[in-house]
Amino acid sequence: MGGCSSREPLQEQAEQFFSLPLDGSISVENGDGALRVVGWYEPRVRVATLRKAYTAARLRQIGVVTKTESNALAVRTEVLPARGFFADRSGTVEYTINAPETSHLTLRLTNGEISLQGLRGGAAKVDLANGRLTVINCFATIEASSASGVMECFFDWWEKLPASINFALGHGRIGVRLPVNARFRVNAQTASGRIGNGFGFTSSDRGPGQSLAGGTASQPLVSLGLHTGNGNIAIDAIR
């Protein structure tokens, strides 16, 4: 949040519902804050927002704009410019979105946190400039890129469902945690960093970085592509 103050920020919450086909499209653009998406099997979208700023005047300058079509929903944070040298430039928006688990998502966030949970058969394209991305129990197609931060993917259980998860991170750490019985293939690379794993794969040195390619089955339904410029990659097995 821009600006500095020892006071607690002012907050304002809102909630909206939108009809959307199960295979509809959702796009969300936000500056500073969070995007949290949870999949459900309903033909509608719930959008809950929490806006924060240090002054009431600044809070009024931060809005959420929505646009609906028959099979698409677009949500965008709109922030009016703060004028004057001493103007309050604080402000974040946190989104919590319940979306059809088979929908197609496009998410953009400048600074903060993005999380995806419970997508099944859907797709997500994620563009995060700086922050943390967390993907939890998503059997879906996910393409995510970030300039810096942390990217994580967790599976608490395993199912015979297809998934393709690709992370591209400029600077930072990538972590993946899968059940020991997971059936998947992985292609991982670091330009400068190490790759560790709990599945017995062998990493190869490539200058200051490493590469790894392997699989736990001959034709698995799940593929992982993990690439970071400067940072480490960990692929952990859990029991």
Side-chain angles (χ1 to χ4, degrees):
M1 180 179 296
C4 59
S5 174
S6 60
R7 297 174 295 148
E8 289 296 317
L10 302 176
Q11 301 184 10
E12 187 169 302
Q13 299 183 50
E15 182 183 58
Q16 294 177 281
F17 288 87
F18 304 89
S19 297
L20 189 77
L22 293 176
D23 61 349
S25 299
I26 303 168
S27 67
V28 186
E29 295 186 29
N30 191 18
D32 294 346
L35 301 177
R36 303 182 182 99
V37 179
V38 180
W40 64 5
Y41 199 75
E42 295 189 27
R44 61 174 184 158
V45 181
R46 171 184 174 266
V47 179
T49 57
L50 176 62
R51 295 182 296 121
K52 298 180 181 180
Y54 282 112
T55 63
R58 183 57 174 168
L59 199 60
R60 289 192 295 269
Q61 293 177 326
I62 302 170
V64 174
V65 179
T66 61
K67 180 181 179 181
T68 59
E69 298 179 6
S70 60
N71 63 344
L73 168 66
V75 183
R76 176 172 54 87
T77 300
E78 187 175 86
V79 181
L80 297 178
R83 304 188 182 281
F85 185 78
F86 296 104
D88 180 8
R89 291 175 172 80
S90 66
T92 62
V93 181
E94 298 179 9
Y95 289 87
T96 301
I97 298 173
N98 293 92
E101 60 187 16
T102 51
S103 58
H104 299 267
L105 302 162
T106 301
L107 308 176
R108 296 184 178 91
L109 179 68
T110 304
N111 296 295
E113 173 189 348
I114 295 179
S115 65
L116 302 172
Q117 183 172 354
L119 300 182
R120 298 166 67 88
K125 183 176 182 180
V126 178
D127 184 1
L128 173 64
N130 177 63
R132 178 182 294 270
L133 168 66
T134 306
V135 177
I136 304 172
N137 298 327
C138 288
F139 290 90
T141 299
I142 297 174
E143 301 283 339
S145 63
S146 178
S148 63
V150 176
M151 299 178 120
E152 297 174 316
C153 180
F154 302 138
F155 286 95
D156 295 324
W157 64 84
W158 200 250
E159 299 184 48
K160 292 183 178 180
L161 294 173
S164 174
I165 297 173
N166 293 287
F167 288 168
L169 178 61
H171 178 89
R173 177 180 62 85
I174 294 177
V176 178
R177 186 182 67 195
L178 308 110
V180 68
N181 65 335
R183 297 294 177 259
F184 67 97
R185 66 178 181 272
V186 59
N187 187 309
Q189 293 182 350
T190 65
S192 177
R194 313 303 290 174
I195 302 176
N197 76 92
F199 290 91
F201 303 136
T202 301
S203 301
S204 300
D205 291 333
R206 47 194 303 270
Q210 290 189 324
S211 64
L212 179 154
T216 61
S218 59
Q219 292 182 324
L221 297 176
V222 174
S223 65
L224 304 174
L226 313 173
H227 304 273
T228 182
N230 184 8
N232 298 327
I233 297 175
I235 306 166
D236 296 325
I238 59 172
R239 298 183 181 275

